[in-house]
Amino acid sequence: KCIEFAKENKLPVHMHFCENEQEREDIKRDYNVDEPSEVIKRDFKGIHNILAHSVKVSDKDIRNLKATNTYIAHCPVSNLKLGCGIAPISKMLEEGLCVSLGTDGQGSGSNLDMFETMKFTALLQKGINENPEDLPAYEVLKMATINGAKTLMLEDKIGSIDIGKSADIIVLNLNNVLTQPINNVFAEIVYNAKGNDVETTLVNGKILMENKKMSKIDEKEIFNKCNGIIQRISK
């Protein structure tokens, strides 16, 4: 019923997929298939599928996913922290899959720093493929922006700075010892910039943070609430 509802209303379906070897084997056993992607190809045809992780996928899986309307949400930091492995992102991109980036949340990703996620994405693929030219910085930046918008079916509203789209913008200060001098701005953003380099944030044209000061949030109050939650959990 959920699948039919998604088809009728043209809604995306989000799911975890092959995050680790055990999950891969469970899918093969429970659905009686040789490759986990056969389930997507068979049962989720015609649906905008968003698969989180997709770490343990074969070359055949990647080809099958390309044959469906499937998008990948890559969470490299979480995958490493949980010991899942490294997703073959470069192969996915070679096959024409749209890959976006995620943090998988505070619990398994430790923080929500998209700059850290971009850096890990680029470095891991270069490392496992032993190719320093693999996954250029600009392609990684696209994964964090416009590819994310395409994955969420929102590319007509967000993901790039264009007339008619929502004014979702961050302003970075790269005038520091870690990023100067700037030879390639895309490389500096992906490899050297950090979340705390963001000085100003606008969402839909509204300033939420300016010069690193929140306009609508009391940070001290949030810290106190979070510490109170941690103390309850610890007890």
Side-chain angles (χ1 to χ4, degrees):
K1 290 183 178 180
C2 292
I3 295 174
E4 292 304 318
F5 182 82
K7 286 182 179 179
E8 291 174 6
N9 294 275
K10 297 182 179 180
L11 296 173
V13 171
H14 306 243
M15 67 185 93
H16 274 226
F17 185 75
C18 293
E19 184 175 6
N20 51 50
E21 193 62 43
Q22 183 63 55
E23 190 172 301
R24 175 181 175 82
E25 293 305 313
D26 288 345
I27 294 173
K28 289 167 63 177
R29 182 194 66 241
D30 294 346
Y31 293 90
N32 192 29
V33 293
D34 294 325
E35 299 284 353
S37 58
E38 292 172 16
V39 178
I40 305 298
K41 195 173 181 180
R42 181 188 68 200
D43 298 336
F44 292 83
K45 190 175 181 180
I47 295 177
H48 184 102
N49 302 299
I50 303 174
L51 304 184
H53 306 299
S54 303
V55 177
K56 298 297 183 180
V57 292
S58 65
D59 290 349
K60 185 177 180 180
D61 280 321
I62 294 173
R63 291 193 295 272
N64 283 340
L65 295 178
K66 173 56 183 173
T68 65
N69 191 23
T70 296
Y71 295 72
I72 307 298
H74 178 44
C75 306
V77 177
S78 169
N79 296 155
L80 290 176
K81 185 178 180 183
L82 298 179
C84 298
I86 302 170
I89 297 303
S90 293
K91 289 183 179 179
M92 295 179 188
L93 293 173
E94 288 174 5
E95 288 294 330
L97 281 168
C98 180
V99 180
S100 58
L101 300 181
T103 63
D104 204 30
Q106 181 72 22
S108 56
S110 292
N111 63 57
L112 308 178
D113 192 336
M114 187 57 71
F115 294 92
E116 179 181 85
T117 298
M118 286 193 291
K119 182 173 182 176
F120 270 87
T121 296
L123 293 180
L124 286 171
Q125 296 305 306
K126 287 174 169 60
I128 61 172
N129 297 318
E130 299 183 16
N131 181 3
E133 296 183 352
D134 197 8
L135 210 53
Y138 183 64
E139 294 302 315
V140 178
L141 188 60
K142 285 167 59 179
M143 293 166 68
T145 54
I146 190 63
N147 283 13
K150 290 177 180 177
T151 298
L152 297 173
M153 302 173 66
L154 294 173
E155 65 268 32
D156 60 329
K157 296 181 175 64
I158 60 173
S160 61
I161 302 174
D162 287 305
I163 295 174
K165 289 191 176 184
S166 297
D168 292 352
I169 301 169
I170 60 172
V171 179
L172 287 171
N173 182 355
L174 300 181
N175 188 28
N176 60 68
V177 295
L178 293 178
T179 55
Q180 291 292 325
I182 295 177
N183 179 48
N184 181 314
V185 68
F186 303 120
E188 292 299 333
I189 291 172
V190 170
Y191 293 110
N192 287 334
K194 302 289 186 292
N196 58 12
D197 290 323
V198 178
E199 289 200 334
T200 299
T201 301
L202 292 86
V203 176
N204 200 22
K206 296 181 179 179
I207 298 175
L208 301 185
M209 181 177 73
E210 187 171 12
N211 296 323
K212 293 193 175 183
K213 292 185 178 180
M214 300 287 190
S215 60
K216 301 180 182 298
I217 297 174
D218 186 335
E219 292 184 58
K220 186 173 290 186
E221 180 183 354
I222 293 175
F223 294 158
N224 290 336
K225 286 184 178 180
C226 290
N227 285 324
I229 292 171
I230 290 296
Q231 289 175 9
R232 292 202 306 272
I233 293 174
S234 299
K235 292 179 181 178

